Amino acid sequence: MNKIVTSIESKNISLELSIKLLEAAVVKGKELGMPFSISIVDKVGNLKAFSAMDGAPVLSLEIAQNKAFSAAAYNRPTHEWYDRLKNDPPLLHGIVHTDRLIIFGGGYPILINGELIGGIGVSGGHYTHDMQVCEAALELLKQFEEV
Amino acid sequence: MNKIVTSIESKNISLELSIKLLEAAVVKGKELGMPFSISIVDKVGNLKAFSAMDGAPVLSLEIAQNKAFSAAAYNRPTHEWYDRLKNDPPLLHGIVHTDRLIIFGGGYPILINGELIGGIGVSGGHYTHDMQVCEAALELLKQFEEV
Amino acid sequence: MNKIVTSIESKNISLELSIKLLEAAVVKGKELGMPFSISIVDKVGNLKAFSAMDGAPVLSLEIAQNKAFSAAAYNRPTHEWYDRLKNDPPLLHGIVHTDRLIIFGGGYPILINGELIGGIGVSGGHYTHDMQVCEAALELLKQFEEV
Amino acid sequence: MNKIVTSIESKNISLELSIKLLEAAVVKGKELGMPFSISIVDKVGNLKAFSAMDGAPVLSLEIAQNKAFSAAAYNRPTHEWYDRLKNDPPLLHGIVHTDRLIIFGGGYPILINGELIGGIGVSGGHYTHDMQVCEAALELLKQFEEV
């Protein structure tokens, strides 16, 4: 038998966890009193689960999906981009044009025990509101971490 | 004073109903033993809620969304298209190229008391399976009809 | 600790195996005396490795990638589509318009012990030639199957 | 008899050289300890050969291809763009929107004896990392230069 690495194992977010994250995000959205779009993507950025709260702005539908995509596709919260770009003009004028890449807050990787399994993206308010909704949802993950 | 009609009232599916439809669809999907993508759109075809069952084929993600869009955007179940096209060659060779229009089964308008409020689209199996999943979800609506 | 399934484990093709498949495909292409484009994608259809033999037709570059995508994204060899469509007119006139879906031969899922880990797509000749190139490459997989 | 120039001769990168460049790039990527996507295009920017190292971010797949395209399509390393744009506002606010044009480092033309034969693009790290990977690969070319 030949000795090569034929495949790489990885984990991907389940629908069950995705729905629990959406529910927690909606609870936070109601608390803030604003309607948000919330998107969960899998490890490679493909749509896994989605909820648009009643009254969510049309513009938020795609931004929420793109934030979740961005977070998973580079394993980086979207709000961390600008700090890395602001003193790096080629990127500041360049990478911002990348299709589907969002460089403001409201997208977070979803990690279990440090491993990327998906992404969450929220849009509807200022990005500081969007980030609060994400963070409220991600609180849930703590109970699933291995001790 | 001028009397003009300034606006038109319409109903749009709620997130609450959308989630119940997704849940019912997933139950049917599990019963069929196949992983489906299920999409709910609002009255104008914008994404409202979405669930991809674990293992749903990548190809189904977009087809499910396009079926729901097609159903709401023309207020017609997607499986009714082909019968209307088959003896109408200009449409059969023309309209099938319309962006996001799906002409096979698995997309249904969502109606309350005969009024269009959204659409559901399912993909993952043959369209006859996809249709069963939609129909199982739409059974739910009966309990919300006014008598 | 909460009891839910948080993630699903899966395997994805390695670069090492991808390159060996490309090499075997090129050997077969030279034997047939025609220049092919050969594409390897991962489990979700994203590009993993690619080789265009010298002189490969420009048209083959994208078709090879789309064949590999189609094969992985629905876990079905592309040459099996037409037999399933030919007596099913709604699909024959409908699903063929799906973005990136190829319904003729030359795309195969890549499986290890029955599990989908990627896809291979070949274009450049008639699809019967393209299929021979794929099959020559996939012969390699046998030596990596567990007994 | 009319004397017109009927055709223009040009050189195009071979698959053989493309693969050697990919291999050298992967060696450098492993040395840096980061997973990169590496793309080789031919003289006109069409995809010739590609490798995504295991674990390369999804976002890097297309950026690597666009960097190689940009480098070949204008015969200019992508990191040279910003210096040419920064004091030229119409370009700085305009040309950066060009489809597939990347204006930060990580894309280089591939030249043999001063003649453009293709392009290489790398993505996955900061562009300073991506550039190191390109440069390591391009070191190879020296042994093929005519003295």
Side-chain angles (χ1 to χ4, degrees):
Chain A
M1 201 185 83
N2 228 308
K3 292 271 191 178
I4 74 163
V5 176
T6 57
S7 62
I8 312 296
E9 218 154 315
S10 71
K11 291 196 177 81
N12 221 335
I13 191 167
S14 69
L15 179 58
E16 198 174 358
L17 176 56
S18 301
I19 289 173
K20 289 204 175 305
L21 293 170
L22 288 180
E23 287 168 350
V26 168
V27 166
K28 184 67 181 179
K30 285 181 178 163
E31 188 191 310
L32 293 175
M34 304 166 70
F36 295 90
S37 292
I38 309 133
S39 178
I40 308 289
V41 299
D42 68 11
K43 182 192 176 73
V44 296
N46 284 335
L47 190 61
K48 183 72 186 171
F50 181 88
S51 286
M53 292 172 67
D54 300 329
V58 175
L59 202 63
S60 69
L61 300 172
E62 195 168 335
I63 294 179
Q65 294 178 62
N66 288 347
K67 283 180 178 175
F69 170 81
S70 297
Y74 205 65
N75 196 0
R76 176 182 289 172
T78 57
H79 64 272
E80 290 187 5
W81 273 96
Y82 184 69
D83 271 351
R84 292 167 180 258
L85 300 183
K86 65 184 177 194
N87 298 315
D88 195 336
L91 286 182
L92 184 58
H93 289 85
I95 206 167
V96 296
H97 299 286
T98 306
D99 197 30
R100 303 196 66 193
L101 177 63
I102 304 286
I103 62 146
F104 49 92
Y108 289 75
I110 300 172
L111 307 171
I112 287 281
N113 298 314
E115 184 180 342
L116 177 73
I117 61 168
I120 181 171
V122 170
S123 179
H126 184 263
Y127 61 76
T128 50
H129 301 122
D130 302 337
M131 289 169 72
Q132 288 177 60
V133 174
C134 287
E135 281 163 14
L138 293 173
E139 275 296 305
L140 264 191
L141 294 178
K142 290 180 182 161
Q143 59 189 284
F144 306 116
E145 299 280 338
E146 283 162 25
V147 196
Chain B
M1 200 184 81
N2 225 313
K3 291 272 193 175
I4 66 160
V5 177
T6 56
S7 62
I8 312 296
E9 212 158 321
S10 71
K11 293 200 176 78
N12 221 332
I13 191 166
S14 68
L15 179 58
E16 199 175 356
L17 176 57
S18 301
I19 288 173
K20 288 204 176 305
L21 292 171
L22 288 180
E23 287 169 350
V26 168
V27 167
K28 183 67 181 182
K30 285 181 179 165
E31 187 192 311
L32 293 177
M34 305 165 70
F36 295 91
S37 292
I38 309 134
S39 179
I40 309 289
V41 298
D42 67 11
K43 183 193 174 71
V44 297
N46 286 332
L47 191 62
K48 183 70 187 172
F50 181 89
S51 286
M53 292 172 66
D54 298 329
V58 173
L59 202 63
S60 69
L61 300 171
E62 197 169 332
I63 295 179
Q65 293 178 64
N66 288 347
K67 284 180 178 176
F69 170 81
S70 297
Y74 208 67
N75 195 1
R76 176 183 288 171
T78 58
H79 64 271
E80 291 186 5
W81 273 95
Y82 182 70
D83 272 350
R84 291 165 180 259
L85 301 182
K86 65 184 176 192
N87 298 315
D88 193 338
L91 285 181
L92 184 58
H93 295 278
I95 205 166
V96 295
H97 298 283
T98 307
D99 198 29
R100 304 197 65 193
L101 175 63
I102 304 285
I103 62 149
F104 48 94
Y108 290 74
I110 300 172
L111 307 170
I112 287 282
N113 299 313
E115 185 179 344
L116 178 73
I117 60 168
I120 180 170
V122 170
S123 179
H126 184 262
Y127 60 76
T128 50
H129 301 121
D130 302 337
M131 290 169 72
Q132 289 178 60
V133 174
C134 289
E135 283 164 11
L138 294 174
E139 275 296 305
L140 265 190
L141 294 177
K142 291 182 183 161
Q143 59 190 283
F144 306 115
E145 298 279 338
E146 284 163 23
V147 194
Chain C
M1 201 185 84
N2 227 308
K3 291 272 191 180
I4 73 162
V5 177
T6 57
S7 62
I8 312 297
E9 217 154 314
S10 71
K11 291 196 178 80
N12 222 333
I13 191 166
S14 69
L15 179 57
E16 197 174 358
L17 176 56
S18 301
I19 289 172
K20 289 205 175 305
L21 292 170
L22 288 180
E23 287 169 350
V26 168
V27 167
K28 184 66 180 181
K30 286 181 179 164
E31 188 192 309
L32 292 176
M34 304 165 70
F36 295 91
S37 291
I38 308 132
S39 178
I40 308 289
V41 297
D42 67 11
K43 182 193 176 71
V44 297
N46 284 335
L47 191 61
K48 183 72 187 172
F50 181 87
S51 287
M53 292 172 66
D54 299 329
V58 174
L59 202 63
S60 68
L61 300 172
E62 195 168 335
I63 294 178
Q65 292 177 65
N66 288 347
K67 283 180 179 176
F69 169 81
S70 297
Y74 206 66
N75 196 359
R76 176 183 288 172
T78 57
H79 64 271
E80 291 187 5
W81 273 96
Y82 184 70
D83 271 351
R84 291 165 181 259
L85 300 183
K86 66 184 176 192
N87 299 315
D88 195 337
L91 287 182
L92 185 58
H93 289 86
I95 207 166
V96 295
H97 299 286
T98 306
D99 197 30
R100 303 196 67 191
L101 177 62
I102 303 285
I103 62 146
F104 48 91
Y108 289 74
I110 300 172
L111 307 171
I112 287 281
N113 298 313
E115 185 180 343
L116 178 72
I117 59 168
I120 181 171
V122 171
S123 179
H126 184 262
Y127 60 76
T128 50
H129 301 123
D130 302 338
M131 289 169 72
Q132 288 177 60
V133 174
C134 288
E135 282 163 14
L138 293 174
E139 275 296 306
L140 265 190
L141 294 178
K142 290 181 183 160
Q143 59 189 284
F144 306 115
E145 299 280 339
E146 281 163 26
V147 195
Chain D
M1 201 183 81
N2 225 312
K3 290 273 192 176
I4 68 162
V5 177
T6 56
S7 61
I8 313 295
E9 212 157 321
S10 71
K11 292 199 176 79
N12 220 332
I13 191 167
S14 68
L15 179 58
E16 199 175 356
L17 175 57
S18 301
I19 290 172
K20 289 203 174 308
L21 292 170
L22 289 180
E23 287 169 350
V26 168
V27 167
K28 183 66 180 182
K30 285 182 179 165
E31 188 191 310
L32 293 176
M34 305 166 70
F36 295 90
S37 291
I38 309 133
S39 179
I40 308 290
V41 298
D42 67 11
K43 182 192 175 71
V44 297
N46 286 332
L47 191 62
K48 183 72 186 173
F50 181 89
S51 287
M53 291 172 67
D54 299 328
V58 174
L59 203 64
S60 69
L61 300 172
E62 196 168 333
I63 295 179
Q65 293 178 63
N66 288 346
K67 284 180 177 175
F69 170 81
S70 297
Y74 208 66
N75 195 2
R76 175 183 289 170
T78 57
H79 64 272
E80 291 187 4
W81 273 96
Y82 183 69
D83 272 350
R84 292 165 180 260
L85 301 182
K86 64 183 176 193
N87 298 316
D88 193 339
L91 285 181
L92 184 58
H93 296 279
I95 206 167
V96 295
H97 299 283
T98 306
D99 197 30
R100 304 196 66 192
L101 176 63
I102 304 285
I103 63 147
F104 48 94
Y108 289 75
I110 300 171
L111 308 170
I112 286 283
N113 299 314
E115 184 179 345
L116 177 72
I117 60 168
I120 181 171
V122 170
S123 179
H126 184 263
Y127 60 76
T128 50
H129 301 123
D130 302 338
M131 289 169 71
Q132 288 177 60
V133 174
C134 288
E135 282 163 13
L138 293 173
E139 275 295 305
L140 264 190
L141 294 178
K142 290 182 183 161
Q143 58 188 285
F144 306 115
E145 298 279 339
E146 282 162 23
V147 195

